[in-house]
Amino acid sequence: TLLTFAVNYNFAENKPVGYRLVNVLIHLAVIALAYFFLSCLTGKWVAIFATLLFALHPAHVQAVSYISTRSDPLYTALGLLCLLFWHKGNGTYGHKRAFYFGSALSAFFLGLFAKETMVVIPALALVMDLIWNQGGSWWKKIRTNLGWYLGFAILFSVYFLIRFNAGFALTMEGAREFS
C-alpha cells in the first residue's frame, strides 16, 4: 500500500484527484477479477449479477473515495487474483500447474503487505479444494495440494519475520513511531 502511494506521489504529488483515480482503477480491477473468479465457479448470469451487486454496492464508496483506505481494494484485488490462480492451477498439470500455484502464492505474499486480512485466503483456497475439486475423499483432495498449502505457511512466516525485523510490534500497543 505504501509503495503504491510512493509511486502515486511521483505523478500526483499533493493533488487528491490522482490518488482517487488510482483507487477507482484498483476498484475496477477488483470488479473484473470478481467477475472472472465467479464465472469460474458459477454460471455466467450468476457471476454477472453478483459482480454488479458488488460493483454498485454503497459499502464500497469509502474504500474507493477515501485515499487512506487504498489497502482494502488492493488487498481484495490480490486476494481475488490469488484465488483465481489457485482455481486455475487445480485444473492443470505440470509446468502450468506450478505457474498458477506459484502466481497464487506470489499474490498472497504481496497481499499480506497490503492488509493482513489476507491470512484468510489459504483457508478459502482449502475450502475451494474441498468443494470444487473432483474425485476422492476429503483427505485425498487436501493431500494433492499439501505442498502448496505449506507454501502459504512459509510465506506467512517470511512476512512475519520481515515485519518483526523491521521493528513493527505484534500489537498496536507500543507500535513503532516514525519521525
Side-chain angles (χ1 to χ4, degrees):
T1 304
L2 294 176
L3 179 63
T4 65
F5 285 138
V7 171
N8 213 161
Y9 182 79
N10 287 330
F11 297 103
E13 294 179 348
N14 292 330
K15 299 175 188 96
V17 69
Y19 295 88
R20 287 196 180 104
L21 177 63
V22 171
N23 283 7
V24 169
L25 292 174
I26 294 171
H27 183 65
L28 291 174
V30 168
I31 293 167
L33 287 168
Y35 172 74
F36 291 133
F37 178 66
L38 291 172
S39 65
C40 289
L41 304 178
T42 65
K44 177 183 174 184
W45 291 108
V46 173
I48 289 172
F49 178 75
T51 303
L52 284 174
L53 183 64
F54 174 82
L56 301 174
H57 199 281
H60 302 294
V61 169
Q62 179 181 354
V64 176
S65 65
Y66 290 8
I67 296 167
S68 62
T69 59
R70 181 175 294 176
S71 62
D72 290 336
L74 193 58
Y75 130 79
T76 306
L78 290 166
L80 284 170
L81 195 61
C82 177
L83 292 175
L84 186 61
F85 279 134
W86 190 265
H87 182 71
K88 292 284 187 185
N90 274 322
T92 60
Y93 299 97
H95 294 303
K96 279 188 172 183
R97 181 178 177 87
F99 170 77
Y100 283 129
F101 281 160
S103 297
L105 291 175
S106 298
F108 168 73
F109 188 64
L110 289 174
L112 285 170
F113 290 100
K115 194 167 185 176
E116 291 172 339
T117 312
M118 192 75 167
V119 298
V120 303
I121 296 297
L124 293 175
L126 175 67
V127 169
M128 283 175 45
D129 286 349
L130 292 174
I131 293 174
W132 282 285
N133 280 359
Q134 300 295 323
S137 66
W138 64 271
W139 173 242
K140 183 179 178 186
K141 292 178 182 181
I142 291 174
R143 194 177 60 213
T144 303
N145 293 332
L146 195 57
W148 294 103
Y149 298 135
L150 184 61
F152 281 123
I154 290 170
L155 287 176
F156 180 73
S157 299
V158 169
Y159 164 77
F160 185 74
L161 288 173
I162 291 170
R163 177 188 161 114
F164 189 72
N165 285 330
F168 289 96
L170 298 178
T171 65
M172 293 305 289
E173 298 172 11
R176 183 174 184 168
E177 293 182 22
F178 294 98
S179 59

